[in-house]
Amino acid sequence: MASAFETKATIATFGGKLLKLSHKSNATQTPMDVNLYLPPASNDRKVPVLIFLSGLTCTPNNCSEKGFFHAAASKAGLAVLYPDTSPRGADLPGEKDSWDFGEGAGFYINATAEPWKKHYNMETYVTKELPEAVFGAYGDKLDSSRVSITGHSMGGHGALTLFLKNPGMYRSVSALAPICNPSQCPWGEKAFGNYFGSDKSVWAGSDATELVRSQLKSGEKLPCLIDVGTGDNFYNQKQLLPENLEKAVKETGVEGVTVRYQPDYDHSYFFISSFAEDHVQHAAKHLL
Amino acid sequence: MASAFETKATIATFGGKLLKLSHKSNATQTPMDVNLYLPPASNDRKVPVLIFLSGLTCTPNNCSEKGFFHAAASKAGLAVLYPDTSPRGADLPGEKDSWDFGEGAGFYINATAEPWKKHYNMETYVTKELPEAVFGAYGDKLDSSRVSITGHSMGGHGALTLFLKNPGMYRSVSALAPICNPSQCPWGEKAFGNYFGSDKSVWAGSDATELVRSQLKSGEKLPCLIDVGTGDNFYNQKQLLPENLEKAVKETGVEGVTVRYQPDYDHSYFFISSFAEDHVQHAAKHLL
């Protein structure tokens, strides 16, 4: 069980409060920072929660400051939860050598290979330990039965895979510039090769494109919105591969998936913030 | 005359484009960065411009990334122009020793004291050289006859004083957590003492509270919106002194000024972004 939250800051913004929290995690065996945006209180009704999983190198602060989710979350009456992107301070060899692996790059999986498996358990952290801790501490304000998930880049991969691996856990999923097929792109090959080892059948269990094929059947509904910018260097370098996910969706006969290609948009928070409102509204449709 | 703009980046955001520009300034004798947000093109009508003056330590990027003016500017059809906060690279002694004086702290005045007066001419830069350059380069998109001004903290001081010193130059003014009476607060005493020397009659010419008393008459209209957070440390440390401005407005009999105290809000971009839409709409009312 995680330790109680320490509240490091309480910040008024968009009519609500952004809480900067920290607690000790059992899953990662490290302290973990997490931000929680609480929309303006509306009588005594509990609000649903949208989890935002951030991309490579980010902390909970990047999207809290630059993602612009709070304007729309306040209007819709949603809380937004921002987990960190990896354990920090585990002090493993090579952990800080790359910007796209190790610290800031936990990929929302449970590592099975040494030396990562002791700490790099972001899947358990995000799907079990963190929600238990948050709904335990803020159960008077948040409705644990209404949760959706979204994310950016590596966090888009996280949102898609955690949704697909955990039927019933989330009401909807969306993603901005997600890594859709990590088994087939350099970022994913590096991360999965190190966290899981070389067995690609294991990789498939944490690959959104493979999961669509293995977990869903023709006619099944995947309530999913994806935005990708056509000016995104990582999209153009084939790190994201949304076309592979679209192909899997089409060939499997899955319904409910919308993939939009936004002309000229890049991979940055200028892109995320531009479409934050759409992603909040997508979640709100399923949560409210 | 300033040199032509070099375009360092063109970024799609909120349906428009953020241009990161740089040019050489005669007023400051240095290169100057400036950002320009162009809202989505609407047929061939030229759009008005809202100038945002940033606070201590900021570059044009801070508010471009975290201020969230672009959402509202796109809806209203306004461009937003973000000048830098001082010359950079003038290489004067002591210029980088303080976060609240010298580089990043130009105070939007023309310095009269050595060694600052050669470079620290942000008033001329913002009121003359930059608009000439911008309307020269983007005259097909921007309407030079419709300009308003706003800003944060030191930039709020800049917006208020440049509006009051230049009747007719701007259609409206607003400010977030502005330094309202620099002659009476530590930030202003340090800056004006160094940039102007010790003659306080000179200081009064760049002090919004003093300018209200010296420039306006009873019944005159000052189309001004000010927001201040009650949780703002700098407000509580009496760096901002909005009450002094309010008193001057009241005693002079000036009309049209709204000062709002926003409960719990701090001095950060979490505050700025929360009220950006109101400040865009305040400008839009006078520009459209």
Side-chain angles (χ1 to χ4, degrees):
Chain A
M1 210 181 129
S3 73
F5 287 113
E6 179 194 347
T7 304
K8 295 184 159 185
T10 301
I11 301 165
T13 194
F14 286 102
K17 301 279 180 192
L18 180 70
L19 309 182
K20 296 194 177 189
L21 306 170
S22 184
H23 63 161
K24 277 190 192 142
S25 160
N26 268 355
T28 69
Q29 301 276 307
T30 62
M32 293 294 288
D33 287 342
V34 54
N35 288 357
L36 174 62
Y37 180 67
L38 297 171
S42 63
N43 52 58
D44 54 2
R45 199 158 161 266
K46 292 182 185 182
V47 296
V49 178
L50 176 61
I51 298 173
F52 181 92
L53 301 180
S54 295
L56 290 165
T57 77
C58 289
T59 72
N61 289 338
N62 301 69
C63 193
S64 301
E65 292 175 359
K66 300 194 285 187
F68 202 35
F69 278 75
H70 306 151
S74 283
K75 274 184 209 153
L78 301 185
V80 187
L81 183 66
Y82 302 94
D84 206 346
T85 51
S86 78
R88 293 178 193 271
D91 206 20
L92 300 174
E95 193 183 19
K96 297 188 183 193
D97 292 355
S98 307
W99 65 272
D100 58 1
F101 179 73
E103 248 187 46
F107 271 83
Y108 308 103
I109 50 86
N110 289 340
T112 53
E114 296 290 357
W116 310 103
K117 67 182 193 183
K118 182 177 173 196
H119 298 285
Y120 279 72
N121 296 306
M122 288 299 292
E123 181 169 347
T124 296
Y125 175 73
V126 169
T127 58
K128 295 197 176 65
E129 190 178 26
L130 177 62
E132 278 171 25
V134 166
F135 291 116
Y138 300 95
D140 57 326
K141 296 186 173 66
L142 305 177
D143 182 349
S144 65
S145 74
R146 290 184 293 153
V147 181
S148 281
I149 194 162
T150 185
H152 171 238
S153 195
M154 175 184 75
H157 143 78
L160 292 166
T161 54
L162 298 184
F163 183 93
L164 289 162
K165 286 188 198 187
N166 297 284
M169 187 175 279
Y170 308 110
R171 298 265 183 110
S172 67
V173 61
S174 75
L176 295 132
I179 302 172
C180 293
N181 195 184
S183 309
Q184 303 293 331
C185 77
W187 279 339
E189 286 167 357
K190 181 173 180 178
F192 286 8
N194 281 285
Y195 291 136
F196 291 141
S198 58
D199 181 354
K200 292 214 174 179
S201 69
V202 176
W203 298 17
S206 292
D207 180 311
T209 298
E210 298 293 339
L211 284 164
V212 164
R213 294 190 192 276
S214 64
Q215 302 300 308
L216 299 178
K217 285 178 299 221
S218 179
E220 264 193 281
K221 195 118 181 172
L222 179 59
C224 177
L225 170 66
I226 291 174
D227 280 305
V228 181
T230 64
D232 181 331
N233 284 339
F234 298 121
Y235 167 59
N236 293 315
Q237 290 161 16
K238 303 201 182 304
Q239 293 280 19
L240 309 181
L241 301 171
E243 294 87 352
N244 294 11
L245 183 78
E246 284 190 285
K247 190 159 176 266
V249 163
K250 195 175 170 192
E251 289 177 2
T252 311
V254 169
E255 292 170 7
V257 178
T258 301
V259 181
R260 308 188 300 190
Y261 293 87
Q262 303 289 0
D264 299 335
Y265 282 82
D266 65 17
H267 199 70
S268 75
Y269 284 92
F270 289 112
F271 161 66
I272 299 175
S273 57
S274 300
F275 299 100
E277 184 175 9
D278 290 357
H279 287 253
V280 168
Q281 287 175 351
H282 171 76
K285 242 183 357 201
H286 295 89
L287 292 169
L288 298 174
Chain B
M1 211 182 125
S3 72
F5 287 113
E6 181 194 346
T7 304
K8 294 184 159 184
T10 301
I11 302 166
T13 194
F14 287 101
K17 301 280 179 192
L18 180 70
L19 310 182
K20 295 194 177 187
L21 306 171
S22 184
H23 63 161
K24 277 192 192 138
S25 160
N26 267 355
T28 68
Q29 301 276 306
T30 62
M32 293 294 289
D33 286 343
V34 54
N35 288 356
L36 174 63
Y37 180 66
L38 297 170
S42 63
N43 52 56
D44 55 1
R45 199 158 161 266
K46 292 182 186 183
V47 297
V49 178
L50 176 61
I51 298 173
F52 180 93
L53 301 181
S54 294
L56 290 165
T57 77
C58 288
T59 71
N61 290 336
N62 299 69
C63 192
S64 300
E65 292 176 0
K66 300 194 286 190
F68 296 126
F69 279 74
H70 306 152
S74 283
K75 275 183 209 153
L78 301 186
V80 187
L81 182 66
Y82 302 95
D84 205 344
T85 52
S86 77
R88 293 179 193 270
D91 207 19
L92 300 174
E95 192 182 21
K96 298 187 183 192
D97 292 355
S98 307
W99 65 271
D100 58 0
F101 179 74
E103 246 188 48
F107 271 83
Y108 307 104
I109 49 87
N110 289 339
T112 54
E114 295 289 358
W116 311 104
K117 68 182 193 181
K118 182 177 173 196
H119 298 286
Y120 279 71
N121 295 306
M122 289 299 292
E123 182 170 345
T124 297
Y125 176 72
V126 169
T127 58
K128 296 198 175 64
E129 190 178 25
L130 178 62
E132 277 171 25
V134 166
F135 292 116
Y138 300 96
D140 57 325
K141 296 186 174 66
L142 305 177
D143 182 350
S144 64
S145 73
R146 290 184 293 152
V147 181
S148 281
I149 193 161
T150 185
H152 171 240
S153 195
M154 175 184 74
H157 143 77
L160 292 166
T161 53
L162 297 184
F163 183 93
L164 289 162
K165 287 187 198 188
N166 296 284
M169 187 176 278
Y170 308 110
R171 298 265 184 111
S172 67
V173 61
S174 75
L176 296 132
I179 302 172
C180 293
N181 194 184
S183 309
Q184 304 293 332
C185 77
W187 280 339
E189 286 166 358
K190 181 174 179 177
F192 285 9
N194 281 286
Y195 291 136
F196 291 140
S198 57
D199 181 354
K200 292 212 174 180
S201 68
V202 176
W203 297 19
S206 292
D207 181 311
T209 297
E210 299 292 339
L211 284 165
V212 165
R213 293 190 193 277
S214 64
Q215 302 300 307
L216 299 178
K217 286 178 295 222
S218 180
E220 265 193 283
K221 195 119 183 170
L222 178 59
C224 176
L225 170 66
I226 291 174
D227 280 304
V228 181
T230 65
D232 180 330
N233 284 339
F234 299 119
Y235 167 60
N236 292 315
Q237 290 161 15
K238 304 202 181 303
Q239 294 278 19
L240 309 181
L241 302 171
E243 294 87 353
N244 294 11
L245 183 77
E246 284 190 285
K247 191 157 176 267
V249 163
K250 197 175 168 192
E251 289 177 1
T252 311
V254 169
E255 292 170 7
V257 178
T258 301
V259 181
R260 308 188 300 190
Y261 293 87
Q262 303 289 359
D264 299 335
Y265 281 82
D266 65 17
H267 199 72
S268 75
Y269 283 91
F270 288 114
F271 161 67
I272 299 174
S273 57
S274 300
F275 299 100
E277 186 176 8
D278 291 357
H279 287 253
V280 168
Q281 287 175 352
H282 170 76
K285 241 183 358 201
H286 296 88
L287 291 169
L288 298 173

